[in-house]
Amino acid sequence: MKFMKLGSKPDAFQTDGGGDSRYVLSELPSDIVIHVEEARFYLHKFPLLSKSSLLQRLIIEASQNGTDEVYIHDIPGGVKIFEICAKFCYGMVVTLNAYNVVAARCAAEFLGMTEDVDKSNLVFKIEVFLNSGIFRSWKDSIIALQTTDALLPWSEQLKLAARCIDSIASKATSNPCNVVWSYTYNRKSASSDEIVEARKNSQPVPKDWWVEDLCELDVDLYKRVMVAVKSRGRITSDVVGEALKAYASRWLPECFDAAAIDDDAYSMAYNHLLETIVWLLPSDKGSSCCSCRFFLKLLKVAVLIGSGEMLKEELMDRVILQLHKASVCDLLIPARPPALTTYDIQLVLTLVGRFMRRAGVTEDGIFLNNLDQEMFETNVDDESLLALSKIVDGYLAEVASDPNLSVSSFVAVATSMPDAARATHDGLYTAIDVFLKLHPNLPKAEKRKISSLMDVKKLSKEACIHAAQNDRLPLRVVVQVLFFEQLRAAAGGNNPPAAAASGGIARRLVEEEDDDDDDVGGGGGGDWSKSSALPTPTPSLLKKQLGSLKLAAAGDEGGGGDDGRRLARVSSVANQSSRLSLSSRSRRMFDRLWAGGKPPGGEVVSKSSDTSGSSQSPRSSAKPPASKSSSSSSRNRRYSVSRV
């Protein structure tokens, strides 16, 4: 830090015990008392009259009024700075530095200590120090600028703040290769207390070397400095973004408590800070000067403190350009009362909806060839949509644990992404499972509505294994999972997970048969609503039947001779099952559930008339010739499935 010493005489100022009175040790008694705020200075007229035009006038007026007391009001810097000026008048040693030089300059101007009164007066000496020392130092310029706020309006009238800002801006926009002053750089690989000097360090000076030192400025001064820096046109938008991110990290908290949010003064201060940061953002919204996480942090603060809609809209316009680069945690923005949910679901829906419209996707999930003219002309590729779908599914899994989340909100978030944007439905299945677990009392109709959001054909093998044993899923979905996993396993020659879950499904089929009467009869079709007078099947029998399904499907994929042996075993199981056959309604219900997940080929195989009308199981399964076509094999497999 630069400093300047003035005067040569030793400091002879003394303070009494109370601290309110100050006097000079001298053989001559004091002949004037100067009142500055609450302090009294017992001084001598001659040294003061030779340096200050204001004191000349005040002392003359006091003498004319027959008093030796003078009152000075509103002197810049107060008592401490007046003492510096008084010591200068006596020729005593005073030290000027970045912390007091601006106040001393303002006080010297206030007291009239100019060249018109005496040569080499205090104003002249301070100006020399400012130009040769303070304004040549990076950190001293910042410190001096910080002191100008308390010295208004004198610091503005004397253009001291503007001169400090100009000094800072000129250094910030200089070529980093020419940086010779010390600065603070705590980010990236630098240590927390590292001081870098370009000519003493072999590492190159980064372009954003200056941003951290400016973070200590008040928001209004910071705005003025950044405007001056940007106006010079030498700083890229990326560096400006780094500066704004550093300043926001310094002053914006990560979380807010309820008391702080309700405090109007607190909210107004943060709202002013937000408005300043957003106002300083580069005008090019499509630039990557700031990350999506940074914009979402600003948006989170704007929501919590209740900022205006214009500020939120500006941030949302910037967020949607990079929404696919966000993280789930970034989107977890708390909701303000009177919202019942923990997080602001509607805000996320709005962001995703705008992103979809910008990508040329309608609300129905239809891709358009041309974007609206009002949309930003930026490309949204398939990878961006896939990335966003993973983020939305992860977000949905997080908010699904909220007990106040409604089914309609859950469905709205899940359907905000088109089906084509989801390469896999594992993330969606996770969210559905969490929601069903935390909402165990949902009606069956709503459970089916939620479960129908996922496509079982897009589940991974691990997800299928989990879903096949998931008691929270509707039985229809579980059977569809088993069916498609069996087809996939048969095509790959692997054992499907159906055998592990078949016993549980059989028990659920028996337990839920009576509970599903209203659901099946209301929306499934006429056959499901008919009652049956035949005995109720046992879980062990249904387990055997589900096991025969696996054998039948595996048999269709094997060789000719092996097919005969496997189908013979299926026929044997069917003959044993005929004594304890399924009731007509149970068998048709199982057939309907199985038919709901027919293979992707879309082939529909009609049953024989006696199958749909009889309540008895077939006596045996006909062994198909080895030369049967694939379609015939499918019919035989379907026949054995529906008749077992």
Side-chain angles (χ1 to χ4, degrees):
M1 178 183 292
K2 305 289 184 180
F3 65 92
M4 180 180 184
K5 287 188 176 182
L6 302 176
S8 58
K9 297 179 181 179
D11 187 356
F13 269 67
Q14 299 292 323
T15 303
D16 64 0
D20 293 337
S21 299
R22 292 171 172 80
Y23 55 92
V24 180
L25 292 177
S26 174
E27 297 178 355
L28 299 175
S30 62
D31 53 6
I32 188 71
V33 179
I34 300 179
H35 295 264
V36 180
E37 297 177 355
E38 301 297 329
R40 296 186 302 273
F41 288 84
Y42 295 89
L43 306 176
H44 304 84
K45 293 180 181 179
F46 178 74
L48 303 178
L49 293 173
S50 63
K51 297 292 184 180
S52 171
S53 60
L54 175 64
L55 291 177
Q56 288 177 3
R57 179 172 58 83
L58 294 177
I59 291 173
I60 292 174
E61 291 177 356
S63 299
Q64 292 175 352
N65 295 330
T67 180
D68 59 354
E69 295 187 5
V70 173
Y71 292 86
I72 298 178
H73 303 284
D74 301 327
I75 182 173
V79 176
K80 290 184 178 181
I81 300 303
F82 176 79
E83 184 174 338
I84 290 176
C85 295
K87 289 179 179 179
F88 176 80
C89 294
Y90 279 89
M92 298 179 185
V93 175
V94 294
T95 302
L96 299 177
N97 53 45
Y99 291 99
N100 61 17
V101 65
V102 174
R105 175 66 179 86
C106 294
E109 190 72 24
F110 177 85
L111 295 172
M113 303 176 72
T114 63
E115 294 298 292
D116 297 336
V117 180
D118 188 23
K119 290 184 178 181
S120 298
N121 211 341
L122 184 57
V123 169
F124 172 79
K125 291 184 179 296
I126 291 177
E127 284 294 331
V128 171
F129 178 52
L130 286 172
N131 294 325
S132 62
I134 298 298
F135 294 149
R136 287 193 175 188
S137 170
W138 164 253
K139 289 192 173 180
D140 287 348
S141 297
I142 295 176
I143 294 172
L145 178 61
Q146 289 178 292
T147 65
T148 58
D149 261 352
L151 300 169
L152 295 173
W154 286 93
S155 60
E156 291 295 335
Q157 293 176 0
L158 299 175
K159 300 186 183 303
L160 293 173
R163 292 163 68 187
C164 290
I165 291 172
D166 184 71
S167 170
I168 295 170
S170 64
K171 291 174 174 57
T173 56
S174 62
N175 191 332
C177 297
N178 299 328
V179 174
V180 296
W181 48 83
S182 63
Y183 61 89
T184 304
Y185 192 78
N186 295 335
R187 298 182 314 282
K188 299 178 182 178
S189 60
S191 60
S192 59
D193 57 350
E194 182 178 3
I195 300 298
V196 182
E197 294 188 10
R199 293 186 179 179
K200 296 181 181 180
N201 197 323
S202 59
Q203 297 181 354
V205 176
K207 293 181 180 180
D208 58 348
W209 60 267
W210 49 272
V211 302
E212 287 188 356
D213 289 327
L214 297 187
C215 290
E216 300 303 319
L217 294 176
D218 177 77
V219 60
D220 293 324
L221 291 176
Y222 182 81
K223 180 179 180 180
R224 294 176 63 182
V225 171
M226 289 301 300
V227 169
V229 169
K230 293 172 63 178
S231 65
R232 293 176 178 260
R234 300 176 186 174
I235 300 298
T236 62
S237 59
D238 292 341
V239 178
V240 173
E242 283 293 327
L244 296 177
K245 286 166 59 180
Y247 193 77
S249 299
R250 173 65 176 83
W251 295 106
L252 287 179
E254 293 296 332
C255 58
F256 292 82
D257 54 21
I261 295 175
D262 295 335
D263 189 346
D264 292 338
Y266 190 88
S267 298
M268 288 178 61
Y270 279 109
N271 188 68
H272 179 54
L273 174 60
L274 271 181
E275 290 176 346
T276 301
I277 293 176
V278 173
W279 189 83
L280 290 172
L281 289 170
S283 57
D284 183 12
K285 296 183 180 180
S287 64
S288 58
C289 62
C290 298
S291 64
C292 186
R293 171 172 294 182
F294 174 66
F295 290 133
L296 284 171
K297 178 182 179 180
L298 299 183
L299 183 59
K300 175 182 178 180
V301 176
V303 170
L304 291 177
I305 65 176
S307 298
E309 292 299 324
M310 291 185 62
L311 180 62
K312 295 179 185 177
E313 289 293 328
E314 175 68 20
L315 289 172
M316 291 172 69
D317 288 342
R318 294 179 181 271
V319 166
I320 62 174
L321 298 177
Q322 307 179 56
L323 188 59
H324 59 286
K325 299 179 181 179
S327 66
V328 174
C329 293
D330 298 334
L331 294 176
L332 295 177
I333 299 176
R336 282 178 59 88
L340 298 178
T341 56
T342 305
Y343 300 107
D344 196 332
I345 307 297
Q346 187 57 45
L347 178 63
V348 174
L349 285 174
T350 302
L351 291 173
V352 175
R354 292 187 181 185
F355 185 92
M356 289 294 103
R357 289 194 296 273
R358 174 174 163 267
V361 182
T362 64
E363 295 181 357
D364 298 331
I366 301 174
F367 287 85
L368 302 178
N369 294 328
N370 299 321
L371 299 176
D372 294 339
Q373 294 181 355
E374 298 179 357
M375 300 300 173
F376 301 112
E377 295 181 358
T378 54
N379 296 325
V380 178
D381 52 17
D382 294 340
E383 294 182 357
S384 300
L385 291 175
L386 292 175
L388 182 58
S389 69
K390 294 180 180 179
I391 297 172
V392 171
D393 290 346
Y395 174 80
L396 191 59
E398 288 291 333
V399 300
S401 59
D402 187 353
N404 294 324
L405 182 66
S406 62
V407 174
S408 59
S409 297
F410 184 91
V411 173
V413 176
T415 57
S416 62
M417 296 297 298
D419 292 339
R422 285 189 172 97
T424 176
H425 278 209
D426 286 9
L428 184 58
Y429 167 66
T430 301
I432 292 173
D433 185 47
V434 172
F435 188 81
L436 294 178
K437 182 178 181 180
L438 272 297
H439 300 76
N441 298 324
L442 284 178
K444 291 188 177 181
E446 292 187 345
K447 286 186 177 181
R448 289 199 302 268
K449 181 179 180 180
I450 292 175
S451 300
S452 65
L453 296 172
M454 67 176 177
D455 186 354
V456 297
K457 296 187 295 294
K458 290 188 176 182
L459 294 179
S460 65
K461 183 177 180 180
E462 292 75 12
C464 284
I465 294 175
H466 187 278
Q469 306 174 62
N470 193 341
D471 293 337
R472 291 184 286 271
L473 292 177
L475 185 59
R476 179 192 300 271
V477 177
V478 176
V479 173
Q480 289 177 351
V481 169
L482 287 172
F483 178 73
F484 285 106
E485 181 61 18
Q486 194 166 8
L487 290 182
R488 179 163 56 184
N494 298 322
N495 292 327
S502 58
I505 296 174
R507 288 189 295 271
R508 288 183 59 191
L509 185 61
V510 175
E511 294 169 358
E512 297 182 9
E513 179 179 349
D514 294 334
D515 296 338
D516 287 339
D517 283 347
D518 295 337
D519 297 335
V520 173
D527 293 340
W528 289 25
S529 61
K530 296 179 181 179
S531 61
S532 174
L534 295 180
T536 303
T538 62
S540 59
L541 173 60
L542 292 177
K543 185 173 182 180
K544 293 179 180 180
Q545 293 172 339
L546 287 172
S548 68
L549 299 181
K550 181 183 71 171
L551 294 175
D556 289 341
E557 300 295 331
D562 191 52
D563 288 346
R565 288 189 297 272
R566 291 184 179 180
L567 288 175
R569 288 196 296 270
V570 173
S571 299
S572 176
V573 173
N575 288 329
Q576 295 175 9
S577 303
S578 61
R579 299 186 184 92
L580 296 173
S581 60
L582 284 172
S583 66
S584 177
R585 181 165 62 88
S586 300
R587 182 164 46 78
R588 289 171 184 170
M589 176 182 175
F590 190 79
D591 291 343
R592 178 64 64 90
L593 293 174
W594 198 272
K598 62 184 179 180
E603 180 184 359
V604 178
V605 183
S606 61
K607 303 173 187 176
S608 61
S609 59
D610 63 331
T611 301
S612 60
S614 174
S615 62
Q616 300 297 327
S617 300
R619 298 180 179 178
S620 62
S621 298
K623 180 178 178 180
S627 60
K628 288 287 185 179
S629 62
S630 60
S631 60
S632 175
S633 175
S634 300
R635 286 195 296 271
N636 287 324
R637 181 173 66 252
R638 182 56 176 261
Y639 178 78
S640 64
V641 165
S642 61
R643 297 294 299 274
V644 172

